[in-house]
Amino acid sequence: MSLVSALNDLLEPLSVAIYRCLGEPGDQRWLTCASLKAGEEIASSDSLWADPDSLPSREERPSLSECLEHHGVVSSRVKPPGGKGAPCWSATFPLVIEGEVQAVLEVVTRGKLKVESQRMVSSMLRIYHNFQGLLESSERDTLTGLLNRKTFDDRFQKALRGRAVPARDDAVVDGRRSQGQARHFLGVIDIDHFKQVNDRFGHLIGDEVLLLLSRLMRQSFRFYDSLYRFGGEEFVVMMRCDDLAAAGMAFERLRARCEAFAFPQIGSLTISIGFTEIRRVDSPSEAFQRADEAVYYAKGHGRNQVARHAALVASGELKEREQTNAFELF
């Protein structure tokens, strides 16, 4: 938002926007991360939870796709914002996000953007890249690129702020079940027999396993789900789903992918997963504790499985802990 606003002030274009390419090859879409048109004071953006089918396909914006493919500035004639009036010029710049060019910046002007202005934009993008690099180095795990432990509490609160979540798993909220509302789930993932991997093959191979698992996690969850490495072989997922079944399927998908994947030199490897629905009165530690109890149950009862805390409590396998703090005092 800040980058778009700054460029709007400096260039006074018809519009300036950042688009991110999402989805699998063959069905990729453009998500508007920030957009500001002439005369507007506040930048707008698409919702992170927008229906992918409602977003423009990659093929609908060929100049954006060309910029993404060739990592260079692309200039082209386009329709004016709103579709009325004489054709305008679009200058599209590659934008590095999370270490990769997966987004573009588009500046639309009445005339072709001058070379001097293109250089200024490119210089600002280098500053943006360096600043983002500082943020990523403090927020992300060095090996896997996933979020690290110290970002968890803050993102936990931001994800739930202003969203309806139940007071207890599968609870009735406002007279009806929370089906169809924004529900959040927390999962803890632990690699089975990981110590044996390190002891037998060495820590270098162990690090490769962690890196490959992080890639499988990215393939199994959506771009707006938060993926963490807490340390060692312990990973955490905080995800948003409309219902319990969808959450369970997502965790099961990861478990199956890991079991079917051929890890170099090691071969087969499995993971155990425990998850819980995040409650309205949860603190980060309370939600994590429930998911952690479920994963330890899974590891102690055969491994290579997905266990849900509420189901284990309902069956009598685990006991429900009393909610200790609906709020914290500082």
Side-chain angles (χ1 to χ4, degrees):
M1 293 293 189
S2 298
L3 178 61
V4 163
S5 298
L7 289 173
N8 183 67
D9 292 341
L10 291 169
L11 299 174
E12 298 184 351
L14 294 175
S15 68
V16 56
I18 294 173
Y19 302 99
R20 188 167 183 176
C21 190
L22 304 172
E24 299 297 327
D27 187 26
Q28 293 180 309
R29 304 279 175 167
W30 291 109
L31 179 81
T32 303
C33 298
S35 176
L36 190 59
K37 296 181 176 65
E40 295 179 344
E41 296 184 0
I42 301 175
S44 61
S45 64
D46 288 332
S47 169
L48 285 177
W49 300 284
D51 180 5
D53 292 336
S54 68
L55 303 176
S57 66
R58 179 166 176 172
E59 292 73 21
E60 291 180 53
R61 304 297 302 274
S63 61
L64 304 187
S65 296
E66 183 180 353
C67 177
L68 201 66
E69 292 173 3
H70 300 292
H71 298 183
V73 181
V74 175
S75 296
S76 60
R77 298 293 292 270
V78 296
K79 295 180 180 180
K84 297 181 180 180
C88 304
W89 280 92
S90 164
T92 310
F93 301 79
L95 189 61
V96 176
I97 293 181
E98 296 177 4
E100 299 179 3
V101 178
Q102 49 185 291
V104 296
L105 168 77
E106 182 186 51
V107 180
V108 177
T109 51
R110 295 202 179 278
K112 191 173 183 179
L113 197 65
K114 296 180 180 179
V115 174
E116 297 80 16
S117 297
Q118 291 189 24
R119 289 175 180 168
M120 183 195 68
V121 174
S122 297
S123 297
M124 289 195 67
L125 292 184
R126 284 195 293 271
I127 296 173
Y128 173 85
H129 178 227
N130 291 338
F131 180 71
Q132 187 191 49
L134 292 173
L135 293 176
E136 289 185 4
S137 65
S138 65
E139 293 183 347
R140 295 191 176 272
D141 174 58
T142 304
L143 175 65
T144 64
L146 301 182
L147 295 167
N148 58 29
R149 175 65 181 87
K150 68 179 183 179
T151 66
F152 174 69
D153 288 6
D154 183 53
R155 292 197 174 219
F156 183 96
Q157 300 295 347
K158 286 181 178 179
L160 300 186
R161 194 172 297 140
R163 301 193 180 278
V165 293
R168 301 185 68 82
D169 296 7
D170 303 324
V172 174
V173 179
D174 296 332
R176 65 184 186 276
R177 289 191 179 273
S178 55
Q179 184 176 1
Q181 298 180 0
R183 301 170 67 175
H184 291 80
F185 298 85
L186 185 70
V188 175
I189 301 160
D190 198 283
I191 302 175
D192 296 331
H193 303 298
F194 185 68
K195 184 178 184 301
Q196 294 181 16
V197 173
N198 281 329
D199 291 345
R200 183 178 177 185
F201 299 98
H203 288 277
L204 188 62
I205 298 299
D207 286 349
E208 185 177 26
V209 167
L210 298 175
L211 181 59
L212 291 172
L213 177 57
S214 71
R215 293 178 180 174
L216 291 175
M217 290 173 64
R218 289 190 175 97
Q219 295 171 10
S220 302
F221 298 98
R222 294 158 299 188
F223 76 96
Y224 52 74
D225 294 329
S226 298
L227 311 180
Y228 302 84
R229 181 189 175 202
F230 270 27
E233 70 272 28
E234 189 173 58
F235 295 80
V236 171
V237 176
M238 186 167 60
M239 61 186 299
R240 177 187 183 275
C241 279
D242 290 334
D243 55 56
L244 177 64
M249 288 174 60
F251 288 117
E252 176 60 28
R253 181 167 58 244
L254 173 63
R255 186 208 63 77
R257 281 182 173 176
C258 184
E259 183 181 26
F261 187 79
F263 289 86
Q265 298 193 44
I266 296 174
S268 179
L269 195 69
T270 62
I271 57 176
S272 297
I273 302 175
F275 78 100
T276 184
E277 183 166 3
I278 298 174
R279 304 168 182 171
R280 184 175 59 249
V281 294
D282 269 341
S283 67
S285 61
E286 287 170 330
F288 176 82
Q289 184 179 54
R290 291 198 306 275
D292 200 42
E293 289 176 352
V295 77
Y296 270 95
Y297 178 89
K299 292 181 73 68
H301 292 78
R303 296 184 171 86
N304 189 27
Q305 59 183 291
V306 178
R308 181 167 65 94
H309 183 269
L312 294 173
V313 170
S315 65
E317 298 294 337
L318 292 178
K319 291 185 178 181
E320 181 72 53
R321 291 175 179 264
E322 184 178 352
Q323 205 83 21
T324 56
N325 56 322
F327 57 90
E328 296 181 2
L329 299 176
F330 294 92

